[in-house]
Amino acid sequence: MNILETLQQRFATVLEDFTDNVGPFVEMIRPSQDAKFGDYQANCAMPLGKQNGTAPREVALKIVDKLNVADLCEPSEVAGPGFINLTLRTPWLEDLINRIAHDERLGVEAVAKPKTIVVDFSSPNVAKPMHVGHLRSTVIGDSLARVFRFAGHQVITDNHIGDWGTQFGMIIYGFKHFVELKAYEQDPVGELARLYRLVNQLCDYHDAKSKLPELKEQIERAETRLAEMDPDSPDKQQKKAYKKQSSEIAGLRAELKTLKAKIAAVDDDPELKELADKHPQIAVDSRKQTAKLHAGDQENVRLWDEFLPLCVEALQKIYDRLDIAFDHTLGESFYNDQLADVVKDLEKKGLAVESDGAKCVFLEGHAAPFIVQKADGAYTYATTDLATIKYRVEEFGADQMCYVVDARQSEHFSMLFKTARAWGYNDVELQHVQFGTVMGKDGRPYKTRSGDTVGLESLLDEAIAKASEIVAANDDAKKDADGNPRPELSPEYRAEIAEAVGLGGVKYADLMHNRESDYVFDYDKMLATTGNTATYLQYAHARIYGIFRKGNILPAKLRSEVPRIEIKDPTERALALRIARYSEFLSDVVADCRPNLLTQYLFDLSNDLTAFYAACHVLNAEDEQTKRSRLMLCDVCARVLSHGMSLLGIKAPQQM
RNA sequence: GCCUCGGUAGCUCAAUUGGAUAGAGCACUGGUCUUCGGAACCAGGGGUUAGGGGUUCGAAUCCCUUCCGGGGUACCA
């Protein structure tokens, strides 16, 4: 059961006497910020007092008078300007925790009205290896899907991979001109990745060369203008303009530097230079390969058919490591034959019009149009995304779609959703679940020292390698009663734990931050053995199993014996209450698509557990009944911990 | 230029969407314990929530304004 909801319902009937619109006031019943104000508090008396022209305290007293919560709360108190403080009766909480302890769903009821929710996440471009930029979408999307599903919704996960775009043209071009067949036979995906990087580099080279003169001129012009400005002008406007101009020049210079670096990288390498000279039109020609593929060119389609499964398989390897599965992998190519109809329909409905040769949807509030077909006839991802919405509504019966995608694409989604609604898809709830950038310690987007993006695979390897050292060091330090070294874990089990700790650390670090803000990627912090990390939760869980092992307790057997949990110590009460509030937090995660609420909950739960653990002996409890009560409390806590972690996609080992 | 998202403790981040004295972790200081698993626990210091103004019983949160930073901005996805 959801305690908060129960209280809100009780209030709702009372509040009807005070207002016609109880909704917003019921929302003002919430958990207390501070334990000294009780467990929950109602803040609705102040605004109601104002609305009705009565003193808030008086309103609060009247509400309390009519309120019927005597079964679950101590007598309510009115405090301050009119806060109503509610404290749960411990016997009532005790009954509740005992029910939860024997409930498979840990007291979490499934939603009354399940929706069909499509979660669109990860969505890498298959032509290039996954990198750190895909981490958040993948980890957050997976967790949300798990939470939605547990909440009782029908969830469809769909990996909308990029398998049809410009990048594939580049690979095909690369394959036709630069492939090393031996390498391709040995490691096809590695060779394709090399080809992609090579073609990309050569494209960048020519692009940089062509841009260079103009950029230099631009800088000169800007500098001339700057020289005419007065940095110490008394006029604020002019001073500001000067600053702006300087920063613009700094930006242009930085751009110049990267361009020069790209050019130098090729010029300094005779082999690359030769290739670059031989392929001056590589960018245009790569695009032509893409166009040929889309037009159904036999050779290119054959190559695509050959490459795609290899690429998808390589992706799958990473998903397997991450313990992530999709119900569907419907990439861009899947919608190819539906795109022409989408544009036709948009035109028919007067939404898409021609402009500069392209077919565009113009939307209020947006300067740039939503381009559904380019001047050269090719379709864009706007078109594909529209086709995807249509497909998901018609084939999946989707009530809701969550796009777990970088915040930088917010304008695209805003336009996409507006267009979709204008197109007639009004009933489906479309949601851009956006997130911030993964930054390096320098506060810039996370890159390797040489400036490349960090591959996801090597990132995971690194995390697990570091975790291995920590796990080994910890196990090696274990001692027996006489103080002699006595490691407990087999090499195999150590490896398993290192994997759980390493991957868990990476995922947890990502999930614990408010998804909308950028966060700094730092191995040392995410794998730290102290503080708010996955390891801390895992350790809390393992400690409970440590007690079970030491006491020869089998949790399943314990449960079947139905010992009653008795709440005596304040730490027991705090722990029980936290456990009982699991369902509240999950419904918040569902409502806001914010897994960090769950990580915070689990961290608090672990803290409550260790506090309880420090204050109350379990195996050495004062009597058998208390011991069994506490064991049972440990058991239900361990179940919530491991269940909550599973919703984050994190493993909870029983021993560490 | 326009649009958009940010600025919170030394550092990394929260803050239940307008609630009571802004909280955690790291780092720092001090303490606990016969280690049911010390990867622990308890306590303490540390804040003009970028600056200024406004709205109201009440503001980190809403409005205005200034400063600083990120991102986006017509045929890449």
Side-chain angles (χ1 to χ4, degrees), chain A residues 173-184 191-192 194-195 198 307:
Chain A
Y173 186 93
F175 192 83
K176 287 181 175 174
H177 296 90
F178 312 125
V179 72
E180 283 174 22
L181 282 171
K182 218 171 165 186
Y184 180 67
E191 175 64 4
L192 291 180
R194 183 189 72 87
L195 291 172
L198 177 61
F307 297 158

Side-chain angles (χ1 to χ4, degrees), chain A residues 49-84:
Chain A
K50 179 162 179 67
Q51 186 175 302
N52 300 347
T54 336
R57 275 194 72 95
E58 240 173 79
V59 178
L61 289 167
K62 278 187 191 162
I63 293 174
V64 167
D65 190 43
K66 292 189 177 170
L67 191 64
N68 176 22
V69 290
D71 52 334
L72 59 157
C73 292
E74 302 289 346
S76 316
E77 286 168 21
V78 175
F83 294 100
I84 301 170

